[in-house]
Structures are given as structure tokens and as C-alpha cells.
Amino acid sequence: MKARTFIAALFAVLLLGSMLAAPAVAQGDDEHDYTLTELKQGGTQLSNSPDSVRSADGRQYWAVHWPADALLANPGDPEDDDWKFLSPGDTVERNAIYLRTILQDEASEEMTVKVAYWREGERKVQQGNETVTEAYVKDLVVDTHEVSFKRGWAMQEISLRKSQKPRQVTVWAEGHEDDLRWTFTHESVATSQAAGIQTEGDYLTRASFEFVLPIIVGVFLVGGLVAGALRRAGKGPGWGYVKWAFTLAIGSALILATQFSSVTEILVNAPRILAALVVAIVGIVMLETYTTNVSHTAFFRPVLDKATSPSGEEAVDIIDLEEREEKTVKMPDGSTAVVRDGLIPFLARIFGGAARLERSEELKTRMELTDSPIDEMVWVHPDAEEILDYQPEGWGLELPEPETRGDWLTVLVGGAVLLAIAQMASATFGGGIGMLAFLGAVTVATVRPQDGHARVEPAPAHLRSAWASMLYLSVEAEDADTIEDARDTIVSLQARSEKDVQEALQEQDSTLIEEMFSEDVDRSGDLIDPLPERETDETEDDTDE
């Protein structure tokens, strides 16, 4: 019974204390009777001076602040040049401003500074027989700061309360309310919010669920996605690590410089985006590392012109050899496609677009090479207009063309879905993100991959053997001292070749005759008696005699 009485008494004391404390805070706010007109006053500006400069008792004072997007700044450091004058209408995102002045004779100066936080509201009031709307001050809070300026270039920090939503702030010095006065808007950057972490255990738990686990799961998922993308595209974007690093660094810097507040708000509300960024970078490294299905193909086209043979007859000579190297890959359907580096073509190949090499299986003059930076070479017809007629794969706009009522219904439903996505993104992350989401959804709905083409006019099949013969003859004749010696060597090689051919033909004919008229073997393979010897004319003559 005594315990219950004690608990009841304690609860009553706490309740009474809270009731007494609440009116005290409200009474403190009610004591500040400032009108909207007073709070909007920004002090007297000096001519030919920045908007932030004020003057009192013959001394100049000015207010400055460090923008939140100055990531490398050191706020409050007199030697840091990233500060800006605090002009009327500026928005301060850090939780402090700084008052500066110059003291030449005095050792120090004490000053009481008031900081009023407020918002402008509207309310309806009765004036006579009609109801009118008037503006008034709401959510008014006033803080007092005691500051001390030292001799020389003095600077004193005025801390500000955190404000997650924009509100107006008026700052003035007591005793100089009409002169030393500044007005601005304050909205704390999202990263200034309390993190809710008090112990190392809280930190490890939050880091595990928001970074470590998403990264582990994401790396395995992106590994499978990269493998599938390389199978479909044949090869990665081919940008290399340096270009990717440069692009990501410049892009991140531009986004932070122009949309710092929006980016920080998004990251604070959805910190797993940082984990997704890490996973994306790992995926990029995989794309640029595990590209193994690429062949370096060289297309050669001989340039012919009329020439004169050593014997003085008309001939044809190769006066130049045009070359063009391309990368080729085997696509999932077995065809050969010409590919080039680039992110847009890579994405197009993933979704089915490709610049397939037409009639690649009919290129009789294709030859694979070993121990060479070129994997294969292809001879192109000398009369072809160009070595390779190539147009890369890409993306094209395909707008829907509804014809039936069902088609129109599909288009309307799709449009409604796009608007819903944009509205949800705007409500969650802001209008800028909503617009980006809408544009992205429209792009997905209307942009389709487009095939490219790669055409080559192959050289006649005998060109390769002719080229090989020419190389052989040139090697055999390379030791000749004069043109006549080279000519004699080639002629002798040609004669020797013709002689070998004739000897081979004679040997073949002899073998055939021997098989046909053999005395030991008939056509069936059985042994037969030798033919009787034919009598000569001399024997016949002797007989007659």
C-alpha cells in the first residue's frame, strides 16, 4: 500500500512539474512581442558596400557564412576564403553564421546578440462586419548570445538552431537594433540531423544493415548480371578504368556542387544508395576486366594498278595495301558481329541490337593467325568501294501507333503509370527527382535498340593462294643482286615447277598403262599364261627360203 501511494505521489509530482514547465516556455515566447514588420527589417545598408555590411558608432560590422556545398571549407577559420557575405534572401544551410569587425584601439568588445526564428502565417480576423485575412508571426523563438570581439580582425560565431524546414531568421545587436540587423532564411542541411547512434554496438548494427549486407548481396547479384550481359553483348563497354574513374569523379563533383542539399537529403533518407553505388562500381570493374570473347580482325584490300612485266608485257601490280582493324565477337545466335567501344552500343547489344557481319560464314579468304596481335585477317575484293561498310548499333525512338481500342487503352494505362511513378518520386524525394523518374520511365517506354550493319565484299577465293605464291617467290628471289638475277631465279622456279608437273603426269600415265597391260595380272586378279612370242619378219623370210 505504501508503494502504491509513493508511485502515485511521484506521478503527481512529475505531472505537475510538466504542467508548470510548459507555461514557462510559452511565457518566454509570449514575452517577445515582435511584429512582422519589425522582424522583416534588415538594418541599414551602406552604399558602395556589400549587402551584409552594417555600421554603428563609426565601426563597420558584417555577417558572413560558409555554404554547405563547400565540402573542403573550414568554417570559422579567418584564413579560409570559401565564406560568403550574408545578403538578404540568402539561405544558410550550416548551423552557424559569423559576425566580423575590426578593433583597432579597444582590447575587446562585448555584445549581446538576439536571434529570432519565425515563420509567416495567415489567419482570418473579424474587422467590423467582414472577415479578412492577415499575415502574422508564428512559431517565434528568440535566443540570446553573448559574444566578445578581440582586437584586430575579429570574428565571432553565432550558432543557429537546427531547422529541418525553411524558416526565417532575424539577427540584431542589442542597443543597435536599427543598425546592426540582418535577415535571412535558414534550413539545416540534411547531414546535420541526429544519427541516433550512441554506442559502438549501434554503429556496427546500423552499418551492417545499411552498408555491409546490401553490398555483399549486391556483389553476388551484379556478378550474375555482368556475366549475362557479357554473354548477350559479346564484350563490355571498353572504356577502361581511367575513363570510368574520371567520368564518375567529374559527375559526382558536378552533382554535389549544383544539387548538394537535394543529394544529402536523399542520402540521409536512403543511405543504402551508397551501398548501391559501391556495388555499381564493382560491376563496372567486372565489365572492364572479364571481356574474353573478342577477336581482332584485320581487313585488307589490295590496291591494283597497271604495270609492265620483266618481259615487257602488260601486267597488274599491287601498289598499296589498305588495312582496317575491327573487333569482332560471336553473338549468342552464332553470328559474327563487329563491335566498337562505347556505353551506348554496349547497352544496345544487351537488349538485342548488333552490327552483324553479313555472310561471315562465306568469307573464303579469312585466315586465322597465331603469335600475332591480330587474330584473323580477311581479304577484301580489290574493286570494293570501301573495306567495310559499317554502321554501329544504337537506340531509336519508337512511339506507339495505336489502331484499335485496346491499343488506345494500353497507351492510356501506360501514361497513367508513368505519371504515378513521377508523383511518387516527387512526393518522396522532391520535384527534381520526380522529373528524372518521369523522363526515365518515358525513355524505357519509347526507346528501343536498333541493329547496325557490317558488310564486306570478299575477295575471290584464289586470291589467298596467289598472295602466298607471290610471297614464296619473293622469299626465294630475295638474295638476288640485280633485277636480272631475280628474274632468272623466278623463271627457273617456274620452270622447275612445270618440270615437276610434267614428271608427275608422266609417272601417273606410266602407272596406269602398266596396270592395264600387265602380263601377270588380269582385270579380275587371276594369273594368266604369258602371251606367245610373235614371229619376226626375218623368221618368215627364212622359212620361205
Side-chain angles (χ1 to χ4, degrees):
M1 191 67 179
K2 291 182 179 180
R4 292 182 179 179
T5 303
F6 174 76
I7 294 174
L10 180 60
F11 180 76
V13 171
L14 293 175
L15 181 61
L16 180 61
S18 62
M19 293 176 62
L20 293 176
V25 175
Q27 181 66 26
D29 291 341
D30 291 341
E31 290 180 355
H32 307 300
D33 186 15
Y34 301 111
T35 64
L36 191 60
T37 302
E38 291 175 336
L39 293 175
K40 286 186 175 182
Q41 291 179 358
T44 304
Q45 300 178 4
L46 299 181
S47 59
N48 300 325
S49 297
D51 295 340
S52 178
V53 178
R54 305 288 186 268
S55 178
D57 297 335
R59 181 180 295 121
Q60 291 185 352
Y61 298 82
W62 59 95
V64 300
H65 73 105
W66 269 263
D69 56 2
L71 302 179
L72 302 180
N74 186 16
D77 185 357
E79 297 182 358
D80 192 301
D81 296 332
D82 291 328
W83 59 269
K84 291 185 177 181
F85 287 105
L86 184 57
S87 302
D90 285 353
T91 298
V92 176
E93 295 180 323
R94 296 185 187 267
N95 295 325
I97 62 171
Y98 299 84
L99 295 183
R100 306 195 67 173
T101 188
I102 302 176
L103 295 180
Q104 297 179 350
D105 300 328
E106 299 83 351
S108 63
E109 179 184 3
E110 304 296 330
M111 179 180 292
T112 300
V113 177
K114 296 286 187 178
V115 180
Y117 307 88
W118 54 278
R119 291 186 176 90
E120 182 178 352
E122 292 184 349
R123 59 186 175 186
K124 295 181 179 180
V125 296
Q126 194 72 25
Q127 291 185 357
N129 296 329
E130 61 179 352
T131 301
V132 298
T133 301
E134 69 173 7
Y136 74 104
V137 178
K138 69 175 184 178
D139 303 333
L140 176 63
V141 178
V142 180
D143 291 338
T144 301
H145 299 266
E146 300 294 337
V147 299
S148 177
F149 295 101
K150 304 298 182 179
R151 176 181 294 180
W153 288 80
M155 181 168 59
Q156 185 64 42
E157 177 182 352
I158 307 297
S159 60
L160 303 175
R161 295 191 179 195
K162 293 181 180 180
S163 177
Q164 307 307 327
K165 295 182 179 181
R167 60 180 174 181
Q168 303 301 313
V169 179
T170 303
V171 178
W172 68 89
E174 280 193 345
H176 304 283
E177 289 83 354
D178 296 335
D179 299 323
L180 305 184
R181 196 178 188 93
W182 296 267
T183 59
F184 56 93
T185 302
H186 179 233
E187 181 181 9
S188 300
V189 69
T191 52
S192 65
Q193 298 180 16
I197 297 177
Q198 298 179 351
T199 64
E200 289 292 334
D202 294 339
Y203 166 74
L204 293 176
T205 301
R206 186 166 182 177
S208 298
F209 283 99
E210 292 185 350
F211 296 102
V212 179
L213 290 179
I215 289 175
I216 293 176
V217 175
V219 166
F220 282 100
L221 291 177
V222 81
L225 292 176
V226 167
L230 290 177
R231 282 194 299 269
R232 293 182 61 86
K235 68 176 293 294
W239 276 10
Y241 302 138
V242 175
K243 189 173 182 178
W244 275 111
F246 179 79
T247 301
L248 292 175
I250 296 299
S252 300
L254 291 176
I255 292 174
L256 289 176
T258 57
Q259 302 293 329
F260 180 80
S261 299
S262 300
V263 171
T264 54
E265 184 176 356
I266 293 173
L267 294 179
V268 169
N269 294 329
R272 289 183 178 86
I273 293 179
L274 292 176
L277 180 61
V278 174
V279 172
I281 293 176
V282 173
I284 291 172
V285 173
M286 291 181 178
L287 281 176
E288 297 295 343
T289 303
Y290 300 105
T291 299
T292 58
N293 190 30
V294 180
S295 297
H296 292 267
T297 303
F299 298 88
F300 290 95
R301 183 180 67 173
V303 180
L304 308 181
D305 196 5
K306 293 181 179 180
T308 303
S309 67
S311 62
E313 299 177 354
E314 292 185 357
V316 178
D317 191 11
I318 297 178
I319 62 173
D320 193 8
L321 193 63
E322 296 181 351
E323 178 193 7
R324 180 168 174 177
E325 293 186 18
E326 297 286 351
K327 297 177 181 178
T328 58
V329 297
K330 285 290 185 181
M331 301 302 292
D333 59 0
S335 62
T336 300
V338 177
V339 296
R340 290 183 179 176
D341 296 338
L343 183 59
I344 300 301
F346 166 71
L347 295 176
R349 292 195 302 275
I350 289 179
F351 292 95
R356 290 174 172 82
L357 183 60
E358 298 181 4
R359 300 185 303 170
S360 59
E361 67 282 355
E362 301 177 7
L363 296 178
K364 303 301 182 182
T365 55
R366 173 184 291 178
M367 182 170 56
E368 295 184 357
L369 304 179
T370 57
D371 299 332
S372 172
I374 300 175
D375 298 314
E376 61 180 5
M377 57 187 299
V378 176
W379 290 99
V380 182
H381 199 289
D383 295 334
E385 294 183 359
E386 55 182 332
I387 298 179
L388 179 67
D389 180 13
Y390 173 74
Q391 179 179 348
E393 63 277 9
W395 294 86
L397 186 64
E398 293 185 5
L399 298 177
E401 298 179 357
E403 296 179 358
T404 64
R405 181 178 300 178
D407 295 340
W408 280 105
L409 181 61
T410 302
V411 172
L412 293 177
V413 171
V417 171
L418 295 181
L419 293 176
I421 293 174
Q423 183 64 29
M424 293 174 59
S426 299
T428 306
F429 303 108
I433 301 300
M435 179 60 67
L436 292 177
F438 177 76
L439 293 177
V442 171
T443 300
V444 171
T446 59
V447 176
R448 295 290 181 269
Q450 302 291 330
D451 282 333
H453 68 261
R455 303 185 185 96
V456 62
E457 186 176 350
H462 64 271
L463 180 63
R464 188 173 65 183
S465 61
W467 177 265
S469 300
M470 180 191 69
L471 293 178
Y472 174 72
L473 293 176
S474 65
V475 170
E476 291 292 338
E478 64 181 357
D479 294 332
D481 296 329
T482 64
I483 295 178
E484 291 297 330
D485 293 340
R487 182 177 180 275
D488 294 341
T489 301
I490 294 174
V491 170
S492 64
L493 288 172
Q494 291 175 344
R496 186 174 65 185
S497 299
E498 294 177 358
K499 182 179 180 182
D500 293 340
V501 172
Q502 293 297 328
E503 291 178 353
L505 291 174
Q506 291 177 2
E507 181 180 358
Q508 182 179 5
D509 294 341
S510 300
T511 303
L512 180 61
I513 293 172
E514 289 178 359
E515 290 180 353
M516 292 177 60
F517 299 101
S518 174
E519 297 180 353
D520 299 328
V521 182
D522 62 4
R523 295 180 182 272
S524 62
D526 298 331
L527 292 175
I528 59 174
D529 295 332
L531 294 173
E533 294 183 358
R534 185 178 179 181
E535 295 181 356
T536 62
D537 295 339
E538 295 179 356
T539 304
E540 292 177 354
D541 295 339
D542 295 341
T543 304
D544 293 338
E545 293 178 356

